[in-house]
Amino acid sequence: YQRRVRGSLIQKHAMAEPRHLQLDAVIGFEGKVQTGLIFHPDGQHLIYPLGQTIVIRDLATSHSQRFLHGHTDEVSTVTLSPCGRFIASGQVTHMGFTAPIFVWDFETGAILHKLELHKVLVQSLAFSIEDEQGIIYLASLGGQDDCNLVIWNALTGDPICGSPASNDQVYFVRFLNKDPFSLVTGGVYNLRVWSLDTTQRKIRPTDVNIGQLRRVFNCVTIDDDDQTLYAGTMTGDILQVGLQRCLMKQVGPKTRFSQGVTSILQTPSGHLIVGAGDGGLAVVSKAKLSIVRNEKLQGNVTSLTLGNQGHDMFAGTKDGNIYYVPVATFVPELRNTCHFTRISDVCFPGGYSELFATCGGSDIRVWNSRNCVELLRIQVPNVEVHCVNFTMDGTQIISGWSDGKVRGFGPQSGKLLFVINDAHVGGCTAIACMHDQMQKRIITGGSDGQVRVWQITKQSQTMVASLKDHSGTVNCIKVRQNDAECVSASDDGSCIIYNLQVYKRAASLQASTFFKGIMYHPDESQIVTCGTDRKVTYWDPLDGSAIRVLDASEDEIMTLDITSEGEFFVSAGADKLVKVWHYDEGVCHYIGVGHSGTVNKVAISPDQGLCVSVGQEGAICIWALGVEAEDHPSHEQDQEAAQEHEDHDPYDEQQSYEPEYDEPAGQGDEF
């Protein structure tokens, strides 16, 4: 064991300033944000939230993206000014604290203003058109703990006036198309038209008369001439209201939309396009409020946005899908899809870098790593998948589930090949495949603390051994190249090395931590672990002693992976950063900033060119391993921009990097 030359002591390194890791692409869309998908007037960009980040994506390529960092919690609402110059976004925060609103410059990505008045949640935002003095107003609406309507000067960031929006919760705010001094709000049993008086700094409401009806209003669209508004309700109908007298004209359609009207807009041709809670997408006549055409999407339709003079439309759903819908033909085409819940695991097949698999919620998805296209989706309803792995020959996808079962699927067809019932009590949380392709054995770990070895054949799945040494959840299992040993990491503060010849405990590693990740160095002379103690530890597998301990993070570390030569390894965790370390030096060389939630897993591609990380917010980040990003702000600059932007010229702030990616030819969907 020639690597043990440092002695058993904690070594702290005076780390050189790490460089920024190049982010090639991000797969993700926060579909639950109402009206969160925005088509920019230039017809070239889509704007949408992802966790704590705002993504600006160039439609020309899936790899051309910019990211706006500054929020400290999940983004709750996003809006764009009619001229396309400004983006405003609000967030949710902890109870009792103010939730900030950020106003961004679209071209530079700089933070222009940070506006703080609302408590806990910013429910909705809306920009007005320019008034006669060239001023643009921003209306902001607080959540149920605040419920105030505030009008801001979007150019200076100064508040003008405010008022309680209603006695009940209010869901949306919207300016009229041609009048910068009139706006509409709606929510639980309230629909109001407001008049803004900037000279007296007052805002006055007028309640819309809807007779004996009681409705919860979800969304609204307004005619181009500002004469009529159409409000969608949770009941599933649409109310037509005259704005001059604030009086309801009619209600329709007769057949209500299932699970309510969740989004609505109008086309230049004079029709309404309605999105429903059950995924329905319909064209509705404005004259009679009757359904002209109906389509079906997957998931609650939360966003509808028009572009290119009303000829093109994008629809976003709560299930993380983005559809392109030509208005003329009205045939939805799925353009982007992603996980809409936390992603638990990611892995590459052995020796093949063109695709990778992720798992989260009830889905296992296989992706092309070059063009970020989903190749295969496997769904098992009403259960959650915890871990996924490929067999060494790539003929099976093995997965562990919350119902305690281990399921095997075909990697191309997604066909269920086998099920191991009751593999673990409480759920299967870790899976590793042995390297001998003739034996076809897998090792599983569960929340019951057991490590089990299974023999997999076409006819049967037999348990070879059951090892009960852990008292906590088994989080990770790794196997040596010769299949003679495996090591398991657990929440009980121990990592146990098992002899797979006699299925006995060979050694154990002990520390005051919940071990989350573990790996062998490629020469198998050392074991590396990470956990909640925020340290990366090198161990001697013979006697279980710690060789080196690195203070690798300010928060818990969830995952590790190492290159095939052993020169570099990658760590990530609750600090939302992906860090590339030199193994022998113990120094961080690169830091990747892109996630807005805890990073649950990282995987390095077999050709060492890519690193894929998956997060709590449902994002998949693809990094160019060992490539420095050009003109990318540091993580500290992102935080300073969010906290101290008032002291700087906004156009001198950070500009997010827009990576370029050469898309290779080839399918990459067979192996």
Side-chain angles (χ1 to χ4, degrees), residues 392-447:
M392 288 302 161
D393 57 3
T395 58
Q396 294 177 357
I397 298 175
I398 313 295
S399 55
W401 298 76
S402 60
D403 58 359
K405 297 180 180 180
V406 175
R407 292 177 170 91
F409 301 94
Q412 291 177 304
S413 64
K415 178 183 176 182
L416 180 64
L417 302 179
F418 67 85
V419 178
I420 303 176
N421 293 310
D422 304 317
H424 292 276
V425 177
C428 178
T429 55
I431 280 185
C433 297
M434 299 180 71
H435 298 85
D436 188 353
Q437 299 182 13
M438 301 299 296
Q439 290 273 357
K440 289 198 173 179
R441 291 187 176 184
I442 64 171
I443 305 173
T444 63
S447 55

Side-chain angles (χ1 to χ4, degrees), residues 357-417:
T358 59
C359 68
S362 59
D363 296 350
I364 298 173
R365 307 195 187 198
V366 179
W367 307 84
N368 187 316
S369 60
R370 302 302 176 184
N371 56 22
C372 304
V373 173
E374 180 185 301
L375 304 175
L376 175 68
R377 184 185 305 184
I378 302 166
Q379 291 182 307
V380 181
N382 304 320
V383 288
E384 182 181 357
V385 56
H386 291 316
C387 51
V388 67
N389 210 335
F390 287 93
T391 55
M392 288 302 161
D393 57 3
T395 58
Q396 294 177 357
I397 298 175
I398 313 295
S399 55
W401 298 76
S402 60
D403 58 359
K405 297 180 180 180
V406 175
R407 292 177 170 91
F409 301 94
Q412 291 177 304
S413 64
K415 178 183 176 182
L416 180 64
L417 302 179

Side-chain angles (χ1 to χ4, degrees), residues 32 58 66 123 125 184 188 215 221 332 446 449 539 567 624 629 667:
K32 66 182 179 182
D58 193 332
R66 289 191 290 143
Q123 181 72 42
L125 295 167
V184 179
V188 180
R215 292 289 187 269
T221 186
W539 303 83
E567 185 179 2
Q667 298 298 317

